[in-house]
Amino acid sequence: MSFSNCRNIEIKAKLADENEFNDKVNIAKKLTGKSEAEVIKQHDVFFKATSGRLKLRYEEGRGARLVQYSRDNIQGPKLSKFDILEVQDGELLEKMLNESIGEDFST
């Protein structure tokens, strides 16, 4: 499924151990009203972009998605605006993007 003109608030947290992870999961469950949490294993490959950011996200059991997004480089919660395109062949797209615009290792 692809999505356009999406927005979210990004909050990043460093966790010291599994107990702290579980504490954060419990907070997230309370905030969302959900009784179960879902752990999503993913790997992102970032590419050079002239505007915003571009990444290819591989999600375990879900395939690949190309994500174009923009957000401010600030501390704390930040608004992210993004579009997502489902990709049938993530490895081929990664090769094509690497050869045409190059991978961004600074992220």
Side-chain angles (χ1 to χ4, degrees):
M1 187 176 301
S2 298
F3 304 95
S4 181
N5 298 317
C6 300
R7 299 168 14 146
N8 69 8
I9 301 294
E10 292 190 21
I11 301 171
K12 306 231 180 207
K14 292 187 180 188
L15 306 173
D17 56 34
E18 191 169 337
N19 288 331
E20 190 174 358
F21 172 79
N22 290 328
D23 290 342
K24 301 298 184 204
V25 167
N26 287 329
I27 291 169
K29 286 195 275 190
K30 287 178 186 173
L31 289 172
T32 61
K34 299 205 179 228
S35 60
E36 293 296 319
E38 179 183 8
V39 174
I40 300 171
K41 294 182 181 180
Q42 61 191 31
H43 169 73
D44 291 337
V45 180
F46 295 87
F47 299 94
K48 296 175 184 173
T50 57
S51 178
R53 301 164 195 241
L54 184 65
K55 68 183 174 186
L56 182 59
R57 169 166 286 169
Y58 294 96
E59 291 186 13
E60 189 175 285
R62 296 184 184 178
R65 298 174 172 183
L66 185 64
V67 182
Q68 185 281 325
Y69 64 107
S70 61
R71 71 161 189 255
D72 292 331
N73 289 326
I74 59 173
Q75 293 288 326
K78 49 194 134 290
L79 176 66
S80 179
K81 299 175 184 177
F82 59 95
D83 297 315
I84 299 175
L85 178 67
E86 292 288 333
V87 176
Q88 293 296 318
D89 190 338
E91 291 179 359
L92 176 59
L93 180 59
E94 182 178 348
K95 176 184 175 291
M96 293 168 66
L97 289 170
N98 268 319
E99 291 177 359
S100 61
I101 60 176
E103 196 168 334
D104 183 356
F105 295 101
S106 65
T107 304

